[in-house]
Amino acid sequence: MTQISALQKARAAYGPKLPPALRRGANIKVTEGAPTSSAADSEKIAKLFKTTFGSPVVTFEKGAEAAAGKALNAGVILSGGQAPGGHNVIAGLFDGLKSINGNSKLYGFLRGPDGLIKNKYIELTPEIIDAYRNTGGFDMIGSGRTKLETREHFELGRKHCEELGINSLVIIGGDDSNTNACLLAEYYKSSNIPINVVGCPKTIDGDLKNEQIEASFGFDTACRVYSELIGNIERDANSAKKYWHFIKLMGRSASHIALECALQTQPNFAIISEEVAERKMTIGEIVEDITQIVVKRAAAGDNFGVVLIPEGLVEFIPEMKKLIAELNDMLAAEAAVFGQISDPAEKLQFINSHLGKDASFTFSSLPHSIQLQLCLERDPHGNVQVSLIETEKMLAEMVAFRLKELKAEGVYTGKFGAQTHFFGYEGRCAAPSNYDADYCYSLGYTAAALLGNGKTGYLSSVRNTTKAASEWTCGGIPITMMMNMERRHGEDKPVIRKALVKLDGAPFLKFVSQREKWSVNTSYVYPGPIQYFGPGEVCNQVTKTLELERS
Ligand code: FBP
């Protein structure tokens, strides 16, 4: 038998909270709003989603005593990167399906969308579900990054669902995976194939949110784990007083994680990529900003500090963005020849000789290690794998170089020692915080209710989550409502609009109002580890981002 920790044992007994509409003994009253449109480009989206476009927002309320519904056979898929709480979505879905009809069944497709395409699955039994309640990770059924997007995929999905008698599919994923869930829903609905598809908003990056979706699950827990670690490092820095720590934080594109961690820990400097893009900053300017703070702190005798760097930074620096776009095109066109070169120096020479003047200038200004990292294989969505680019080392090196210059000029007399860190995978599979445990369970249960009511092309939505669960509301949002057209791989495609950090939003404005104070003074806050048991103010907090956005 697998050994489990004392905390896991105690956590297994935790009963996640549900919105009143979904609590035992209540029948669900369904209210439908007016027809909806899309985030933008409504004509084009309507043409592409003929049968699912315009569906109303669905709200669930507590109704009269429950009567058994029809048994559902559902399949569930975990898609993309791990995020704390995924197992609770599945547990909520399982319990929700059983509450509709005790004969309902749930199949888990293994290792992501690939499981549906290749017909690899397990039937999820009460024993399996119980073993994973309130645990982190996606290991119950595994995840994967294969995109469900072609007609062939959809048809294989149909065949495998029909073989198992599956009439409902739940896709737990981020913006790309839920865009594809909607394409699948549209394909089945428009072809009269009786399989309904519903999504659940997942990603630690926090960039799948909008007016209707308050948060993507996993963001809360991941930010708490990173903030604990940053707080520990801040305390070490403040104790030893001899290092500057450059900490890169996961978040492929948006800087929500870096911003939330900054609000929780009050470091000396935090870069927000969206601001860098807005101010069209160069790498040199970013380095200069950090350097000036190092110099100011050194003048006060503080030769230590903490800098937070969002993982996606390089793609927001205009000169780097241009370089990456050129590299993407060039590497795609020259893949065969480039793939044959194994010597790193030859690789760099090859690249330099194929880049335009500006891109080549930017490329040459980067340390060799970063040049090579920029040429690594792209992910299946064609994205640069930003988690592999060591921007924290690049910035630490460039600041050290600039300080040497200032020392030579007599402007700087301090000492500079740098330590670099990358926090990403540490937070993705942590045991979900109470917020994520409750939110995820409710998202899964809501997904079951949507399927029980015959809905397709919807994203499960649980709202009002800054309040007590007794005030939470739930229902479904048509996925097309969140879509717009974007240029992807040289084509206009319908996609869920990614939520970047808003520079006029309350979380960023709060950060801006404090950052100068944090930069020179040492104002660190040490959040400590996630608490699962104890007083509400330590174990039931919501993120600063959510609190500020909803206040
Ligand atoms: P999702 O958007 O799929 O949730 O994944 C987000 C993420 O954790 C990013 O923060 C990170 O850049 C990426 O996944 C890492 O991907 P991989 O797990 O493939 O290394």
Side-chain angles (χ1 to χ4, degrees):
M1 205 182 107
T2 322
Q3 206 178 334
I4 63 169
S5 67
L7 178 68
Q8 247 177 293
K9 218 184 232 174
R11 247 347 236 172
Y14 178 75
K17 301 179 199 84
L18 277 174
L22 303 178
R23 290 186 190 164
R24 198 171 285 276
N27 197 8
I28 292 169
K29 189 176 139 216
V30 184
T31 312
E32 295 195 351
T36 57
S37 187
S38 54
D41 311 307
S42 52
E43 258 175 52
K44 286 184 185 160
I45 308 276
K47 247 191 206 157
L48 292 165
F49 294 87
K50 289 204 171 66
T51 63
T52 49
F53 181 85
S55 304
V57 169
V58 167
T59 310
F60 295 140
E61 281 165 55
K62 205 170 176 153
E65 200 57 20
K70 253 186 25 205
L72 292 171
N73 269 8
V76 62
I77 297 170
L78 289 166
S79 182
Q82 283 69 249
H87 289 153
N88 268 27
V89 180
I90 300 180
L93 173 64
F94 182 86
D95 293 351
L97 291 169
K98 293 286 184 190
S99 79
I100 294 169
N101 186 308
N103 294 322
S104 294
K105 283 187 178 172
L106 180 62
Y107 295 92
F109 287 102
L110 301 177
R111 306 196 61 185
D114 244 13
L116 179 67
I117 297 168
K118 297 185 178 150
N119 205 22
K120 299 265 187 273
Y121 63 89
I122 51 168
E123 184 179 343
L124 295 170
T125 59
E127 294 70 36
I128 298 177
I129 297 288
D130 286 348
Y132 287 93
R133 288 184 192 270
N134 307 310
T135 59
F138 277 8
D139 43 325
M140 184 200 289
I141 55 174
S143 184
R145 289 201 182 273
T146 301
K147 289 173 71 142
L148 278 178
E149 59 178 352
T150 63
R151 194 192 161 92
E152 191 199 349
H153 288 161
F154 298 168
E155 277 299 320
L156 281 169
R158 177 183 65 84
K159 179 172 175 283
H160 299 144
C161 284
E162 278 173 2
E163 282 166 12
L164 290 168
I166 287 178
N167 46 25
S168 310
L169 271 179
V170 175
I171 297 183
I172 303 172
D175 50 347
D176 283 335
S177 307
N178 278 299
T179 295
N180 294 343
C182 196
L183 287 166
L184 191 63
E186 175 65 28
Y187 180 81
Y188 289 157
K189 192 170 180 193
S190 61
S191 324
N192 291 319
I193 296 167
I195 304 172
N196 292 334
V197 187
V198 158
C200 286
K202 172 233 70 167
T203 177
I204 61 159
D205 294 2
D207 55 11
L208 174 46
K209 63 175 173 183
N210 45 50
E211 272 311 302
Q212 293 79 29
I213 303 295
E214 289 188 355
S216 57
F217 78 76
F219 176 71
D220 183 278
T221 310
C223 287
R224 287 189 198 292
V225 172
Y226 305 142
S227 296
E228 179 206 348
L229 299 175
I230 295 163
N232 294 349
I233 284 179
E234 286 177 337
R235 201 140 213 176
D236 194 286
N238 199 15
S239 305
K241 302 195 188 295
K242 61 175 181 180
Y243 291 127
W244 270 85
H245 293 267
F246 287 71
I247 307 174
K248 183 174 75 169
L249 292 162
M250 233 183 206
R252 217 200 62 75
S253 186
S255 305
H256 297 293
I257 293 181
L259 179 56
E260 172 63 25
C261 292
L263 291 169
Q264 286 196 31
T265 62
Q266 306 188 175
N268 304 100
F269 197 87
I271 302 172
I272 302 300
S273 305
E274 290 80 347
E275 185 185 23
V276 167
E278 172 74 18
R279 289 172 53 194
K280 299 189 175 43
M281 291 176 81
T282 62
I283 306 178
E285 284 167 339
I286 297 171
V287 169
E288 195 57 35
D289 280 358
I290 303 173
T291 307
Q292 286 312 318
I293 287 167
V294 174
V295 171
K296 266 196 204 158
R297 283 180 65 81
D302 292 335
N303 287 303
F304 66 94
V306 170
V307 178
L308 303 186
I309 303 154
E311 181 186 50
L313 176 65
V314 288
E315 289 188 294
F316 285 78
I317 302 172
E319 57 190 329
M320 291 293 287
K321 196 173 169 182
K322 246 173 103 182
L323 166 65
I324 290 171
E326 223 173 283
L327 274 173
N328 284 349
D329 289 350
M330 194 269 281
L331 287 173
E334 304 287 342
V337 188
F338 187 71
Q340 299 294 316
I341 311 174
S342 54
D343 178 54
E346 260 181 63
K347 274 189 179 182
L348 296 183
Q349 209 177 6
F350 179 89
I351 284 176
N352 244 325
S353 64
H354 283 75
L355 288 174
K357 195 168 146 254
D358 290 349
S360 166
F361 179 78
T362 310
F363 193 69
S364 310
S365 70
L366 301 171
H368 276 191
S369 54
I370 303 292
Q371 292 179 346
L372 286 168
Q373 286 158 15
L374 280 170
C375 306
L376 294 172
E377 210 180 307
R378 273 44 185 162
D379 78 4
H381 298 276
N383 300 316
V384 176
Q385 299 192 58
V386 281
S387 59
L388 303 178
I389 300 175
E390 295 173 312
T391 25
E392 68 285 16
K393 290 197 178 146
M394 173 180 94
L395 290 174
E397 259 179 55
M398 293 171 97
V399 168
F401 184 81
R402 181 74 188 114
L403 286 169
K404 253 190 207 156
E405 290 179 344
L406 294 178
K407 200 163 236 178
E409 291 167 22
V411 177
Y412 167 69
T413 52
K415 274 192 186 155
F416 181 75
Q419 297 287 347
T420 56
H421 316 262
F422 170 37
F423 298 150
Y425 300 98
E426 293 83 347
R428 295 202 312 183
C429 283
S433 60
N434 285 349
Y435 177 88
D436 271 328
D438 297 344
Y439 184 50
C440 290
Y441 188 76
S442 299
L443 284 172
Y445 214 101
T446 303
L450 287 166
L451 294 167
N453 282 284
K455 301 296 172 201
T456 193
Y458 278 80
L459 198 59
S460 171
S461 153
V462 175
R463 301 175 68 184
N464 224 15
T465 60
T466 48
K467 305 261 170 60
S470 55
E471 293 179 57
W472 288 12
T473 57
C474 59
I477 309 297
I479 298 178
T480 48
M481 193 178 173
M482 305 165 204
M483 284 189 174
N484 64 176
M485 300 297 289
E486 283 177 25
R487 201 95 188 133
R488 297 276 172 98
H489 301 295
E491 274 179 71
D492 283 339
K493 295 239 173 172
V495 290
I496 294 179
R497 186 183 266 174
K498 203 183 260 308
L500 298 178
V501 169
K502 286 189 183 153
L503 300 184
D504 57 356
F508 181 73
L509 294 178
K510 172 84 184 178
F511 165 69
V512 170
S513 72
Q514 301 296 311
R515 65 177 162 191
E516 204 176 326
K517 194 170 79 196
W518 300 346
S519 69
V520 194
N521 304 330
T522 300
S523 319
Y524 304 149
V525 173
Y526 314 118
I530 296 178
Q531 301 295 312
Y532 300 96
F533 308 99
E537 68 271 21
V538 292
C539 58
N540 292 328
Q541 294 163 346
V542 299
T543 58
K544 305 257 180 224
T545 304
L546 190 57
E547 192 180 281
L548 288 161
E549 278 173 351
R550 301 282 145 187
S551 64

